[in-house]
Amino acid sequence: FRSAYGSSFKLGGEQPRYFRTPRDGGPEQILLDGDAEAAGKPYFRLGAIDHSSDHARLLWAYDDKGSEFYTLCVRDLATGGDLAERIGETGGSGVWAAGNEGFLYTRLDPSHRPSKIFFHALGGDPADDRLIYEESDPGFFMNAGGTRDNRWIMISISDHETSEYRLLRSDAPLDEPKLVAARETGLQYDLEEGGDIFFILTNADGAKDFKIMTAPVEDPVRANWRELVPHEPGRLILSVIGFKNHMVRLERKDGLPRIVVRDRASGAPPSAD
């Protein structure tokens, strides 16, 4: 199933609509029309959407009360109708397991803090959803997201100056999440997939303007981090994206943003071949 997914707004519309088209050409299929969903409601806001890897279903969320508590729904893309289950009081997003048998999502507590991550099996009662991880520190927020290669589910936990990640294989969503590096006040790091490695953007070891390290995907604990792009004062590295053969980073130097493409393994400029 080869499709390109996108979003657009209708002239005069207030909500996005999501669609897909065959990559080899063909008619556009509207998956979710935000204006139609919002019709007749005094307030309506869409959350995130995520299609299953078999392209059969769409996970989507909405808030129609202005409470910022989102309800998660699952749409059957063959019929255009939603499945019966509704999951309320969520943060507005979810991530599919590799087998598309269910998804992980974050549930909000009465203080509107994303304190628990659950797994919901399609067709099941949300009251029976399996608790995957609970964050006990009220100063930290968390979210679950998937990698582009659909191999990993990342649980990101952070406050304004400290971060922590826990990992799950997307084909084993009920396993206990594996800690990457324990939270340490002032230590920030972000993970990005890179095939057999993770890229790690971090301020560790006094890297005030951040540096890029790597770690093997099977054991990415901090002891296995290896420097790839060293810290350079005055060059703020903002993000990194991994591809099959290359790594792309966004950075700011002398007040100007720039995109830098490098060899994935060595960090060197790509060859001209």
Side-chain angles (χ1 to χ4, degrees), residues 135-147:
E135 174 54 51
S136 59
D137 190 329
F140 280 77
F141 290 78
M142 67 178 175
N143 189 42
T147 57

Side-chain angles (χ1 to χ4, degrees), residues 73-150:
C73 305
V74 180
R75 179 152 297 183
D76 184 326
L77 296 182
T79 66
D82 290 331
L83 304 186
E85 60 248 53
R86 297 282 193 277
I87 304 176
E89 299 181 347
T90 79
S93 64
V95 55
W96 288 98
N100 304 306
E101 75 278 11
F103 52 86
L104 276 75
Y105 66 94
T106 304
R107 187 174 293 169
L108 305 183
D109 65 18
S111 298
H112 207 272
R113 188 176 69 88
S115 59
K116 297 178 180 179
I117 290 178
F118 287 88
F119 175 80
H120 176 74
L122 290 182
D125 185 340
D128 297 328
D129 287 354
R130 170 85 168 267
L131 178 65
I132 301 300
Y133 183 76
E134 180 174 4
E135 174 54 51
S136 59
D137 190 329
F140 280 77
F141 290 78
M142 67 178 175
N143 189 42
T147 57
R148 286 177 291 115
D149 62 5
N150 202 37

